[in-house]
């Protein structure tokens, strides 16, 4: 049973030690204190004061250039000014050293004004509606002091607004506000902060508390929402046989317009999905929630070596995103089945759609999923996302997770599965405080569990670009990948959308209808037949009737105008996982276990 209530007081949560305080209200040694003042919602202005101890003549402060998304976003672009004072209260001559670093010799206090106008789960936003902070976008750190403890307090909060954050509440030297403490900068910026008139729901599972913070001006079915989350939490903690925390927080934003997706953290997740999608397409909502929740193990605790230590000044290159993102989705699909939110038929249809997405991308023959992981930093460019240039590590990784699972089952006569692989990695890496060696670490786990070599699998499909012999894998569960042709509508261009949300035209067929109609690469597509485009613009167009006219509202470099394109027809391959007529009872039994992510021997 769960109880919905408005939060009256943020619960203290003894997870991290907090720094002590000197009598004069300054932090003890090797720690720093931030005060974020909500200055002006109309201009999205925050005023940050950072008190540093101890200071030094060579003290420098830095603001990350990236966090959350694997994208260089240069948060320093939003810093209006930086000032500093020394222990005597005298101004310090600050000096900018590079785009994101300031020398502040002997400063004990650094102040700056920063704009927070970036909505969404990866952003920092202060408006008259609410505050949501990815703290890495607004809080500098003293260079070389990542491991000091930090306390944040927030002032200027309107009377009827409240704060929610996974950070531990602590007494603050400033009696007028609550402080929240973190044991390192990494921990601090892995902890989002929501401030506003949100609703809070709670439920308990196996001794842990779950909080659900919802900020939305739209109506939504909170009973359905909580029912889904409770099922997913039970499915995932049960599957991992682990619940490595006492409290976990789901932050949700349900805007009227498009949602920007989800962001994982060690003790929370922040997810933005449109209110309409939440009610029309509850499986997508459940899928995003299942994916982000599983990240609490996969990437936050079962973590690749290449992501550590986090370098906030440049790209952290990793070859492991196919596993940390893609195989995360492999598992979250199993969890939807385990939680009773989708059935076997829908599972196979969703998997077939993933295979379809990979198989229509020519770049599957030229870019490995490891290279796609390394190149994540290029995803902000529309052309990079086009089908001829890149494969998507979520997509191919999700498929590879399934194939790895089926191969492990096949080689071990059903003795071990992907579930054992994750539990093994949880024991050997997460619980030991170690990081795994990217793809090699995953291969080692599969080999240790099955006693067989996975060199070829990783060589062909992970670091290589070999075509995948699907039937070799799916035959073990009595399935066949059927390829047919389907006639779909086509407009003669491709467009891709990333976290910018608005699709951007990535390529145009020479001499095609779109080119004749005056569409150009780089144009933004604002409306499709009068409606805001969803995430899958090409799919939306493909489902229209060939021969009809597509109306696009398009923003170009210098104007917004309407373009009409007569849709042609094209034959496209269509992939479907279908039953093999000769499937054996053993294969069908394995299929049932596989789709639920079950081990076979012990169940
Ligand atoms: Zn993810």
């Amino acid at each position: 049973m769960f109880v919905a209530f408005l939060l009256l007081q943020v619960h203290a949560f003894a997870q991290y030690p907090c720094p002590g305080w000197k009598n004069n209200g300054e932090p003890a040694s090797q720690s720093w204190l931030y005060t974020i003042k909500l200055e002006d919602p109309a201009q999205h202005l925050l005023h940050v004061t950072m008190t540093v101890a101890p200071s030094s003549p060579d003290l420098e402060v830095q603001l990350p250039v990236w966090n959350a998304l694997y994208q260089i976003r240069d948060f320093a672009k939003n810093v209006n000014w930086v000032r500093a004072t020394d222990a005597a209260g005298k101004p310090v001559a600050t000096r900018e050293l590079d785009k994101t670093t300031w020398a502040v010799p002997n400063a004990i206090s650094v102040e700056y004004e920063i704009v927070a106008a970036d909505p969404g789960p990866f952003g920092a936003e202060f408006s008259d509606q609410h505050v949501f902070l990815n703290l890495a976008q607004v809080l500098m750190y003293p260079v070389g002091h990542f491991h000091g403890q930090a306390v944040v307090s927030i002032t200027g909060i309107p009377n009827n607004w409240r704060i929610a954050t996974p950070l531990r509440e602590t007494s603050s030297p400033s009696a007028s506000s609550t402080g929240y403490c973190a044991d390192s900068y990494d921990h601090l910026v892995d902890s989002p902060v929501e401030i506003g008139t949100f609703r809070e729901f709670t439920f308990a599972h196996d001794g842990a508390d779950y909080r659900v913070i919802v900020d939305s001006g739209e109506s939504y079915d909170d009973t359905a929402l909580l029912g889904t989350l409770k099922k997913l939490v039970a499915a995932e903690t049960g599957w991992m046989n682990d619940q490595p925390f006492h409290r976990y927080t789901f932050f949700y934003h349900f805007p009227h317009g498009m949602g920007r997706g989800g962001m994982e953290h060690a003790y929370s997740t922040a997810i933005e999905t449109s209110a309409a999608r939440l009610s029309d397409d509850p499986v997508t909502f459940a899928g995003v929630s299942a994916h982000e929740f599983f990240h609490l193990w996969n990437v936050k605790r079962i973590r690749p070596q290449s992501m550590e230590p986090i370098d906030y000044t440049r790209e952290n290159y990793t070859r492991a995103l196919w596993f940390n993102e893609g195989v995360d989705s492999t598992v979250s699909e199993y969890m939807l089945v385990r939680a009773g939110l989708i059935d076997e038929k829908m599972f196979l249809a969703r998997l077939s759609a993933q295979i379809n997405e990979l198989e229509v991308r020519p770049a599957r023959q030229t870019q490995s999923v490891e290279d796609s992981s390394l190149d994540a930093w290029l995803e902000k460019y529309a052309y990079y996302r086009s089908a001829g240039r890149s494969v998507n590590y979520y997509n191919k990784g999700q498929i590879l997770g399934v194939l790895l699972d089926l191969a492990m089952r096949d080689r071990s006569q059903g003795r071990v599965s992907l579930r054992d692989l994750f539990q093994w990695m949880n024991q050997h890496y997460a619980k030991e405080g170690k990081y795994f060696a990217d793809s090699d670490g995953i291969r080692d786990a599969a080999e240790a569990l099955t006693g067989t070599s996975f060199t070829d699998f990783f060589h062909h499909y992970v670091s290589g670009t070999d075509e995948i012999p699907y039937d070799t894998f799916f035959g073990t569960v009595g399935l066949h990948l059927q390829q047919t042709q389907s006639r779909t509508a086509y407009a003669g261009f491709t467009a891709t959308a990333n976290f910018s949300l608005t699709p951007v035209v990535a390529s145009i067929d020479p001499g095609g209808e779109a080119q004749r109609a005056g569409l150009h690469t780089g144009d933004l597509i604002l409306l499709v037949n009068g409606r805001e485009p969803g995430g899958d613009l090409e799919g939306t167009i493909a489902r229209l009737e060939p021969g009809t006219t597509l109306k696009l509202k398009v923003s170009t470099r210098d104007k917004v105008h309407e373009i009409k394109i007569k849709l042609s027809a094209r034959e496209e391959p269509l992939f479907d996982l279908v039953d093999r007529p000769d499937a054996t009872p053993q294969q069908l039994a394995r299929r049932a276990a596989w789709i639920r992510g079950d081990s076979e021997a012990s169940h």
Side-chain angles (χ1 to χ4, degrees):
M1 184 172 168
F2 59 84
V3 183
F5 61 95
L6 288 175
L7 179 72
L8 297 175
Q9 192 183 348
V10 177
H11 306 284
F13 177 56
Q15 183 107 36
Y16 290 96
C18 260
W21 298 94
K22 294 192 222 163
N23 289 338
N24 62 3
E26 284 174 15
S29 62
Q30 294 300 318
S31 60
W32 61 97
L33 164 70
Y34 300 96
T35 304
I36 302 173
K37 185 175 175 218
L38 307 185
E39 189 99 345
D40 180 355
Q43 295 186 71
H44 317 289
L45 283 182
L46 303 175
H47 183 116
V48 180
T49 306
M50 180 180 175
T51 309
V52 188
S55 190
S56 68
D58 56 357
L59 181 65
E60 294 169 8
V61 292
Q62 216 158 41
L63 191 65
V65 303
W66 75 279
N67 177 256
L69 293 173
Y70 303 111
Q71 300 298 324
I72 298 299
R73 290 189 286 159
D74 287 324
F75 305 136
K77 68 183 181 290
N78 298 319
V79 175
N80 286 341
W81 48 258
V82 179
R83 291 199 279 261
T85 48
D86 64 15
K90 292 201 177 119
V92 164
T94 63
R95 185 159 168 259
E96 190 169 332
L97 299 176
D98 61 37
K99 65 183 177 182
T100 202
T101 312
W102 289 262
V104 288
N106 298 311
I108 61 147
S109 174
V110 178
E111 283 178 65
Y112 53 95
E113 186 178 77
I114 186 164
V115 172
D118 184 12
F122 323 104
E125 182 186 38
F126 169 36
S127 70
D128 55 7
Q129 298 296 310
H130 82 141
V131 176
F132 181 80
L133 298 177
N134 165 4
L135 290 173
Q137 289 192 217
V138 296
L139 297 183
M140 295 184 184
Y141 53 86
V143 174
H145 291 271
F146 284 112
H147 302 296
Q149 295 179 328
V151 169
V152 184
S153 58
I154 300 162
T155 64
I157 300 172
N159 278 337
N160 59 335
W161 286 18
R162 293 161 294 121
I163 303 182
T165 173
L167 290 169
R168 179 188 167 193
E169 190 179 332
T170 183
S171 58
S172 155
S174 151
S176 60
S177 64
T178 305
Y180 298 92
C181 70
D183 62 351
S184 66
Y185 187 78
D186 290 349
H187 172 220
L188 180 69
V189 302
D190 188 44
S191 309
V193 178
E194 172 78 34
I195 309 174
T197 57
F198 53 80
R199 294 175 73 195
E200 171 161 348
F201 309 92
T202 62
F203 63 92
H205 178 77
D206 234 356
D209 293 328
Y210 291 83
R211 310 163 72 201
V212 185
I213 305 293
V214 183
D215 177 63
S216 177
E218 305 293 308
S219 63
Y220 55 91
D221 181 345
D222 52 356
T223 308
L225 169 79
L226 290 170
T228 297
L229 292 182
K230 288 170 81 175
K231 285 178 191 164
L232 290 174
V233 162
E236 298 195 17
T237 55
W239 197 74
M240 285 301 284
N241 192 24
D242 190 29
Q243 193 175 231
F245 46 77
H246 300 293
R247 189 174 73 176
Y248 185 92
T249 307
F250 291 93
F251 292 95
Y252 286 106
H253 297 130
F254 300 135
H256 180 71
M258 270 176 76
R260 291 172 180 77
M263 185 62 223
E264 69 274 9
H265 302 282
Y267 297 95
S268 64
T269 179
I271 293 171
E272 185 183 83
T273 186
S274 83
R277 180 156 235 187
L278 178 62
S279 60
D280 300 349
D281 184 6
V283 171
T284 294
F285 165 79
V288 175
S289 298
H291 173 99
E292 300 304 338
F293 187 67
F294 195 68
H295 272 314
L296 79 88
W297 291 282
N298 186 20
V299 94
K300 297 317 290 193
R301 288 175 177 81
I302 301 172
R303 191 159 173 82
Q305 181 63 65
S306 50
M307 285 192 191
E308 291 288 335
I310 300 172
D311 186 342
Y312 293 100
T313 66
R314 56 183 288 275
E315 297 87 344
N316 263 81
Y317 286 104
T318 176
R319 286 188 165 80
L321 291 180
W322 69 271
F323 184 77
N324 290 122
E325 292 297 347
V327 186
D328 203 83
S329 288
T330 307
V331 175
S332 56
E333 290 290 301
Y334 296 163
M335 295 303 114
L336 294 180
V337 179
R338 270 185 109 70
L341 298 167
I342 62 172
D343 60 13
E344 180 177 308
K345 191 163 166 250
M346 192 164 182
F347 173 92
L348 291 175
R350 288 164 66 89
L351 180 56
S352 299
Q354 292 294 329
I355 293 171
N356 225 72
E357 186 182 328
L358 177 63
E359 293 302 313
V360 299
R361 288 186 88 82
R364 77 186 184 284
Q365 295 170 321
T366 50
Q367 187 190 43
S368 74
V369 76
E370 279 194 338
D371 289 351
S372 167
S373 302
L374 276 184
D375 286 339
W377 304 90
L378 295 176
E379 285 167 3
K380 61 183 170 186
Y381 303 109
Y383 179 72
Y384 174 78
R385 301 193 299 269
S386 65
R389 172 64 180 89
S390 61
V391 295
N392 181 329
Y393 50 80
Y394 284 85
N395 168 233
K396 188 172 177 186
Q398 179 179 339
I399 295 165
L400 289 185
V402 165
L403 303 186
L404 184 62
D405 191 2
L406 292 176
M408 289 175 71
R409 289 169 187 273
D410 187 44
R411 293 175 187 202
S412 68
Q413 288 77 47
R415 191 174 45 78
V416 293
S417 67
L418 193 66
R419 182 183 195 178
D420 301 289
L421 183 121
F422 270 103
Q423 291 199 5
W424 192 94
M425 292 183 79
N426 201 30
Q427 288 306 322
H428 287 79
Y429 296 108
K431 301 291 181 189
E432 301 270 318
K434 293 178 191 160
Y435 306 115
F436 71 85
D438 290 29
S439 297
D440 287 350
I442 301 152
R443 196 195 64 219
D444 288 348
E447 293 184 345
L449 285 161
T450 60
T452 66
S453 169
F454 272 82
T455 302
D456 285 355
F457 181 96
F458 279 75
H459 178 71
H460 292 314
Y461 314 124
V462 178
S463 60
T465 56
D466 289 22
E467 293 285 7
I468 295 170
Y470 290 101
D471 277 1
T472 306
F473 294 92
F474 287 112
T476 64
V477 285
L479 290 170
H480 156 63
L481 187 69
Q482 172 186 279
Q483 183 181 343
T484 52
Q485 294 290 314
S486 104
R487 189 169 173 271
T488 59
Y490 181 62
F493 72 94
T494 64
T496 59
N498 203 4
F499 46 89
S500 60
L501 299 183
T502 310
V504 183
V505 177
S507 67
I508 300 220
D509 292 357
E513 287 287 347
Q515 190 183 55
R516 274 197 290 279
L519 197 67
H520 297 97
T521 55
D523 288 355
L524 300 175
I525 298 183
L526 307 177
L527 294 175
V528 178
N529 287 342
R531 303 181 62 151
E532 278 185 31
D536 176 26
L537 177 63
E538 280 169 48
T540 305
I541 293 172
R543 286 186 287 275
L544 297 172
E545 200 54 46
T548 59
T549 299
L550 178 73
K551 283 187 209 151
L552 299 178
K553 189 176 178 191
V554 170
S555 173
T556 69
R557 199 171 291 185
D558 46 28
K559 63 180 172 187
V560 171
H561 65 139
E562 190 172 88
I563 279 185
K564 291 181 182 169
I565 301 173
K566 188 157 186 284
L567 292 171
S568 58
R570 68 171 174 180
E571 293 285 318
E572 272 203 309
L574 186 67
F575 295 88
D576 263 311
L577 287 165
V578 296
D579 286 318
R580 286 176 64 108
D582 58 352
T584 65
Q586 289 81 2
Q587 289 170 348
L588 295 178
R590 174 163 299 166
R591 189 199 300 180
W594 157 59
I595 286 177
R596 291 174 48 82
D598 272 336
S599 309
E600 292 166 55
S602 57
H603 292 263

